[in-house]
Amino acid sequence: MKHLSYKNKSLQFNGADLATIAKKHRTPFFLYSEETLVGNYQEFAKGAQAAGLIDPLVCFALKSNPNRELLRTLAAQGSGADIVSGGELRRALEAGIPPEKIVFSGVGKTEEEILFALKAAKKGIFSFNVESIEELDLINSCARRLRKRARICFRLNPVVKPKTHKFISTGNKTHKFGLLEADILTAVRSPRFWTNSQLVGLSVHIGSQLLDLGATRRGIARLCEVALKTNIQLEFLDVGGGLGVDYDPEDSQKLPAVADYMALVAATVEKHFNSRSLYRPRIVFEPGRRIVARAGILVMKVLRNKVSEDNHFVIVDGGMNDFMRPSLYGAYHALLPVKQAKADRTCHVVGPICETSDCFGSDRQLPAMKSGDLIVLCDTGAYGYSMGSNYNLRGRPKEILMNRKKKLRIVNQAQPYEELL
Ligand code: LLP
């Protein structure tokens, strides 16, 4: 891991000594690197351009990490936003992301949220990514009430099965997401939906943490086919998010390079539009994880050890309320001791929450660790803080951002008890 390395047997995060940082901040805390965040965003945005895509728009998926300062940083790089709630829309606007770069996804947009999004700017937001016919009807009637025109994008359910955890797979008929081709084409031809709406794009998002891009290619191919069948010159095709990261070093071999992913998108679009059309739609992306997962770590402290016959538990002060992925999806995240020493024991690293699934790693090889020693859970920048909770009435942890000059800034204070009780 490029941003995590040992120097004099002490773990460094982007060249800064974690033991020194942790002296000043109570654990657990999230630590983010602006350098990694911006590097990942640039790799993505430049990759899209290098693949020859015309005027690509990268809309960062706020759900992966809606921290204000991280968003401001991304906004300054030119990022747009993929949002799924009125809260995320407000956060994106507040961070300086212009409405004309915001796509609104999600199956359950409320009337209040739709009205707010329509009012966000003269022309409203970039697009409503519509997931049902009833939703389309509601958006059209809200726009009529406001005497506006809503920009509509249908989210296609391409009926493909990606290789990922079933909880984060979204592209099949049994999933609540997207519309089937036949329903999209019927709606396109029904004038009653279009009095105050305009179809400007089609989108697809088949799932998250994808390392195998076979289903991604099929999903984008389906997107192109349906786009051509609408007989409308659509402004854009939104290929969603989903590009995975190698949380487990064993996955490094499988990890698709951003450049290869972009080449796949460009080639698939070109293949479909080449003979049938002179125009090329703009391509929109909604990445979350690939931009921010690697930019964050969760720094925790060992509270104590406990040995039950041959089970050695290392009990840490972070819990599943701070970071849910291992307990919710059985996800693997590397654990690194801040003090480097010989990893001579097999341990279960567990939190203080009263659930057996509150475990950050089973059977991990670690050195002897005692009360007060620091341990880092890696790659927690995406779906970390954003999925946290107050379970067991625990306050939310602090978030710290290291800027490109290695200066630290608290970008979210630890939640005080007064707010909890
Ligand atoms: N666009 C849409 C419509 C989405 O539903 C999502 C993620 C994204 C974009 C961003 O996907 P990404 O590039 O981050 O894979 N909590 C889970 C992930 C849930 C993803 C939900 N949708 C996890 O921790 O793995």
Side-chain angles (χ1 to χ4, degrees), residues 26 38 41 148 153 157 167 247 335:
R26 188 151 57 101
V38 171
Y41 175 82
K148 290 208 169 205
C153 161
N157 183 322
F167 289 180
Y247 290 115
L335 281 156

Side-chain angles (χ1 to χ4, degrees), residues 76-97:
Q77 297 296 316
S79 180
D82 164 43
I83 57 110
V84 287
S85 70
E88 286 191 353
L89 177 52
R90 282 171 176 82
R91 179 61 63 83
L93 293 171
E94 177 196 290
I97 296 178

Side-chain angles (χ1 to χ4, degrees), residues 61 63-64 82 105 155 168 205 207-209 240-243 286-290 325 329 383 387:
K63 62 175 85 66
S64 62
D82 164 43
S105 305
R155 173 167 174 184
I168 52 177
H205 173 80
S208 195
Q209 181 50 10
L243 198 56
E286 303 170 356
R289 191 188 313 269
R290 190 63 181 245
R325 298 198 73 255
Y329 313 113
Y383 305 107
M387 289 176 74

Side-chain angles (χ1 to χ4, degrees), residues 41-74:
Y41 175 82
Q42 285 300 337
E43 182 189 23
F44 207 90
K46 289 192 177 139
Q49 260 154 8
L53 299 169
I54 305 154
D55 196 16
L57 175 62
V58 180
C59 293
F60 174 68
L62 253 74
K63 62 175 85 66
S64 62
N65 193 326
N67 180 280
R68 284 186 191 83
E69 291 308 317
L70 266 58
L71 288 181
R72 283 204 186 109
T73 303
L74 289 173

Side-chain angles (χ1 to χ4, degrees), residues 283-408:
I283 304 297
V284 177
F285 298 89
E286 303 170 356
R289 191 188 313 269
R290 190 63 181 245
I291 306 290
V292 74
R294 273 271 144 94
I297 57 173
L298 180 63
V299 182
M300 306 181 288
K301 208 171 254 175
V302 173
L303 294 173
R304 60 189 66 95
N305 286 270
K306 169 172 170 170
V307 181
S308 300
E309 289 186 347
D310 49 0
N311 285 290
H312 186 150
F313 298 97
V314 175
I315 305 171
V316 296
D317 61 358
M320 64 188 270
N321 71 302
D322 301 309
F323 192 73
M324 275 192 78
R325 298 198 73 255
S327 55
L328 191 57
Y329 313 113
Y332 178 94
H333 283 260
L335 281 156
L336 296 175
V338 168
K339 240 187 275 160
Q340 191 179 31
K342 189 157 179 266
D344 59 0
R345 57 200 60 196
T346 307
C347 320
H348 310 309
V349 178
V350 299
I353 305 281
C354 300
E355 302 253 354
T356 301
S357 66
D358 182 30
C359 176
F360 290 124
S362 303
D363 296 323
R364 299 292 180 93
Q365 285 303 115
L366 287 167
M369 301 235 280
K370 56 178 195 319
S371 177
D373 282 349
L374 296 161
I375 185 163
V376 163
L377 187 66
C378 300
D379 306 323
T380 55
Y383 305 107
Y385 192 94
S386 65
M387 289 176 74
S389 75
N390 290 125
Y391 189 35
N392 280 199
L393 220 51
R394 283 163 55 88
R396 307 293 307 278
K398 190 186 272 187
E399 291 178 289
I400 304 172
L401 178 62
M402 182 188 286
N403 74 10
R404 278 170 277 184
K405 291 182 183 146
K406 315 257 183 268
K407 283 247 154 21
L408 297 178

